Structure formats: structure tokens, C-alpha cells
């Protein structure tokens, strides 16, 4: 491979990485406060469809991104209402969100666009380069040239990772979030409103998952498909665990899984393994996910109160 091909491959890998990263960051924030959210795949599906919807009718990717954030917050608020307000089972609530997203988005796709399986492509409405950050001075530098024409969402993902690290480990609010995830009763004795902190973490985290879904439909594929996000939310959960519930750890894990995605694409396109059934190459990212979980889930320790409801009287 020449330098140009290497740069293109890195850029494609980063495109695959960002939706996984946004899902993983959602999990990091929510579970740091003690609330499990396995509905990431469903929230991303909501974000992908409504992000596409907003961009399609406004002819602006930025409006689409706002739609993705808004629907993420709404679905996150639903999850928070069930699990924090009423102490509902967090796993059941997340599963319900995933199931609802499959049926509802399929119905809305057919109802709004009168199509089955795929929405219209966004390139018909605005240029594919409209939301890219151009850094021409990097173009001729080996490896760094991959960063010369990236989607804004890739840079935004890196920024969100840094900001979440600062939030969780260098601010009072971050200390309160982590205290609620480790020992909510101790947090209460310190005057911290556990319910308010958990509400914030779940809703803000869901906004990130909504951004991840919108990134898929607006930036990565310029359209919505009936299979979207195709398990990316669950891979994001694996990245969160592999990254030991830390923002930079989640970024590193997301890059690993993004690399698995691009390797799968290279195998499929180049025919490097012609004797393999075509479907086998598609499972590579998920096999990698299972391998990572099998090897590291026992070595990663979640926040002590993660997934445990808090029963202090809140009404």
C-alpha cells in the first residue's frame, strides 16, 4: 500500500470508529453514575432516523445533528424515568428501548419516505464535503495526511472524549457522578442529590448515543437503512467495558473495533479470503467483540453501585 492508500484506510477506520465511540461514551457517563443502559443500540437507531429526518427536510446536516441530540435526550429521559424515578429494572428498560426502536423506526421509514429498507440519499440535498474539516497542510505528511479531510464528527468525537475525561476526573460534578456510581448512600450523606446526578448522566449520555446514531446516517452513510445501527450500540458497550469505564479507554477500544470493521471491509472488497463464505467476513467485528469480552470482562471492574437501584424516598 502506498501513502495515499494508507491515509485513506486510516480515515475510513476513523469513520467506523466514531459511532462506536459515541455509544461507548454514553455508557461511560451513565454507568459512572450507577445506571446501566443497554438500550444504546435502540437510542442510536432513534438518533440515526431522526438525524436523517432533520437533515433531509432542512437540507442541513447541523439541523439533523440537533434532531439526533434531541431524540437521544428524550429516549434517555424515558430510561431515566423508568429506572431512577420508579426503580424499574435497568436491563429490561434498555431491552424495551431496543425493541421499540426496531419496530417504530421501520414503521416511520415507510410512513415518511414511502420506502422499504432505505431512505433517500442525503447527497441529493447537500454536498458530501459540507461537514468536513479541511486541513490541507497535513495532506502531504505521511500518516497525518489521513487527518487532512475528516468529517467534523470525527473531530467532535475526540473533543467529547477529552471533555468527558475532564468532567469525570477534574471537576466537582465529575466527582459527584463517580460517587453516585460507587456509593450512593455515602453521596447522600454528603448532601449530593443522587437522583438528580443520575438523571443528568443518563440523559446527557443518551444525547451522545443520539449523536452517534446521527453520525451513522448523516456522515458515514448519508442515509438511513432498516438495519442501522447494525449492532454498533452493543459494540459500544463492549468498548466501554474493555476501556474500563474511562473515556480514553473507551476511545482506545473503539479504535480497535473500528480497525476490525475496516479489516472486514478490506477482506470483502479485495477478496483476500475467497474461500470464505461472504457472510463470514461480516461477523469479524462481532467475533472480535466476543473475544475481547471473553478475555477482559473478568479483569474490568464496573462502578460498585452500577445497575443497583437507589431506594431512598424521592417523592
Amino acid at each position: 500500500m502506498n501513502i495515499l492508500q494508507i491515509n485513506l484506510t486510516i480515515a475510513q477506520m476513523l469513520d467506523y470508529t466514531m459511532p462506536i465511540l459515541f455509544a461507548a461514551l454514553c455508557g461511560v457517563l451513565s454507568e459512572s453514575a450507577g445506571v446501566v443502559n443497554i438500550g444504546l443500540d435502540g437510542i442510536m437507531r432513534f438518533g440515526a432516523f431522526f438525524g436523517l429526518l432533520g437533515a433531509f427536510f432542512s437540507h442541513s446536516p447541523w439541523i439533523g445533528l440537533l434532531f439526533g441530540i434531541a431524540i437521544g435526550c428524550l429516549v434517555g429521559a424515558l430510561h431515566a424515568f423508568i429506572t431512577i424515578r420508579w426503580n424499574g429494572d435497568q436491563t429490561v428498560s434498555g431491552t424495551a428501548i431496543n425493541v421499540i426502536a426496531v419496530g417504530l423506526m421501520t414503521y416511520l421509514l415507510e410512513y415518511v419516505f414511502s420506502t422499504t429498507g432505505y431512505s433517500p440519499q442525503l447527497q441529493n440535498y447537500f454536498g458530501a464535503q459540507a461537514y468536513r474539516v479541511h486541513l490541507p497542510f497535513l495532506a502531504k505528511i505521511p500518516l497525518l495526511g489521513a487527518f487532512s479531510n475528516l468529517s467534523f464528527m470525527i473531530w467532535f468525537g475526540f473533543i467529547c472524549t477529552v471533555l468527558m475525561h475532564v468532567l469525570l476526573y477534574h471537576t466537582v460534578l465529575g466527582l459527584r457522578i463517580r460517587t453516585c456510581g460507587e456509593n450512593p448512600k455515602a453521596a447522600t450523606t454528603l448532601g449530593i442529590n443522587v437522583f438528580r446526578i443520575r438523571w443528568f448522566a443518563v440523559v446527557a449520555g443518551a444525547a451522545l448515543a443520539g449523536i452517534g446514531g446521527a453520525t451513522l446516517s448523516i456522515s458515514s452513510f448519508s442515509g438511513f437503512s432498516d438495519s442501522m445501527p447494525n449492532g454498533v450500540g452493543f459494540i459500544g458497550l463492549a468498548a466501554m467495558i474493555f476501556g474500563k469505564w474511562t473515556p480514553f479507554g473507551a476511545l482506545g477500544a473503539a479504535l480497535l473495533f473500528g480497525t476490525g470493521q475496516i479489516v472486514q471491509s478490506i477482506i470483502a472488497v479485495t477478496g483476500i479470503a475467497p474461500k470464505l463464505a461472504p457472510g463470514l467476513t461480516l461477523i469479524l467485528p462481532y467475533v472480535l467483540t466476543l473475544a475481547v469480552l471473553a478475555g477482559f470482562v473478568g479483569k474490568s471492574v464496573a462502578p460498585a453501585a452500577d445497575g443497583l437501584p437507589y431506594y431512598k424516598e424521592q417523592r
Side-chain angles (χ1 to χ4, degrees):
M1 297 177 68
N2 57 38
I3 294 298
L4 182 61
Q5 291 174 323
I6 292 174
N7 288 344
L8 180 60
T9 299
I10 294 174
Q12 290 175 332
M13 181 268 290
L14 292 173
D15 273 331
Y16 282 119
T17 294
M18 284 308 117
I20 299 172
L21 175 61
F22 282 117
L25 291 177
C26 170
V28 168
L29 185 56
S30 180
E31 297 202 17
S32 291
V35 180
V36 171
N37 187 354
I38 67 167
L40 296 183
D41 214 63
I43 297 173
M44 292 187 73
R45 186 173 173 86
F46 274 100
F49 179 80
F50 280 93
L52 178 280
L53 192 69
F56 183 88
F57 287 106
S58 70
H59 297 188
S60 169
W62 311 113
I63 299 298
L65 180 60
L66 291 176
F67 270 59
I69 294 172
I71 193 64
C73 288
L74 287 174
V75 180
L78 173 63
H79 183 59
F81 184 79
I82 293 171
T83 60
I84 301 172
R85 180 73 171 92
W86 296 110
N87 290 324
D89 188 284
Q90 297 172 10
T91 301
V92 172
S93 176
T95 302
I97 289 172
N98 289 333
V99 173
I100 292 170
V102 171
L104 183 58
M105 296 307 101
T106 300
Y107 168 76
L108 289 177
L109 176 63
E110 297 182 5
Y111 179 80
V112 175
F113 296 107
S114 300
T115 60
T116 300
Y118 296 91
S119 72
Q121 293 295 294
L122 290 178
Q123 287 98 332
N124 297 330
Y125 297 92
F126 49 82
Q129 300 299 314
Y131 41 89
R132 289 190 171 269
V133 178
H134 301 282
L135 300 173
F137 62 90
L138 293 177
K140 296 183 180 180
I141 302 176
L143 300 182
L144 290 180
F147 296 85
S148 64
N149 188 33
L150 294 179
S151 164
F152 167 80
M153 299 310 301
I154 294 176
W155 292 106
F156 187 55
F158 291 141
I159 292 170
C160 285
T161 302
V162 174
L163 291 179
M164 186 175 293
H165 175 80
V166 172
L167 169 68
L168 289 178
Y169 300 103
H170 298 282
T171 68
V172 174
L173 176 59
L175 179 59
R176 291 179 177 179
I177 290 172
R178 290 185 289 117
T179 302
C180 290
E182 291 289 345
N183 194 333
K185 291 184 178 180
T188 299
T189 63
L190 296 174
I192 299 172
N193 188 322
V194 174
F195 304 106
R196 185 176 300 171
I197 293 294
R198 286 188 169 184
W199 265 88
F200 166 78
V202 173
V203 174
L208 290 171
I211 291 172
T215 299
L216 280 172
S217 60
I218 298 174
S219 179
S220 298
F221 297 102
S222 296
F224 178 83
S225 74
D226 196 36
S227 62
M228 199 172 282
N230 202 24
V232 170
F234 293 108
I235 295 178
L237 282 174
M240 173 199 69
I241 296 170
F242 185 34
K244 298 182 178 180
W245 287 267
T246 65
F248 285 121
L251 172 61
L255 288 169
L256 172 65
F257 291 127
T259 301
Q261 291 274 6
I262 195 63
V263 169
Q264 173 259 310
S265 297
I266 291 173
I267 291 174
V269 171
T270 61
I272 293 176
K275 295 182 180 180
L276 293 177
L280 290 180
T281 60
L282 298 177
I283 69 173
L284 178 60
Y286 309 102
V287 170
L288 179 61
T289 302
L290 290 174
V292 166
L293 287 176
F296 290 92
V297 70
K299 302 176 184 179
S300 299
V301 180
D306 190 21
L308 301 178
Y310 187 50
Y311 290 103
K312 182 177 182 291
E313 180 63 38
Q314 56 188 326
R315 293 183 292 276

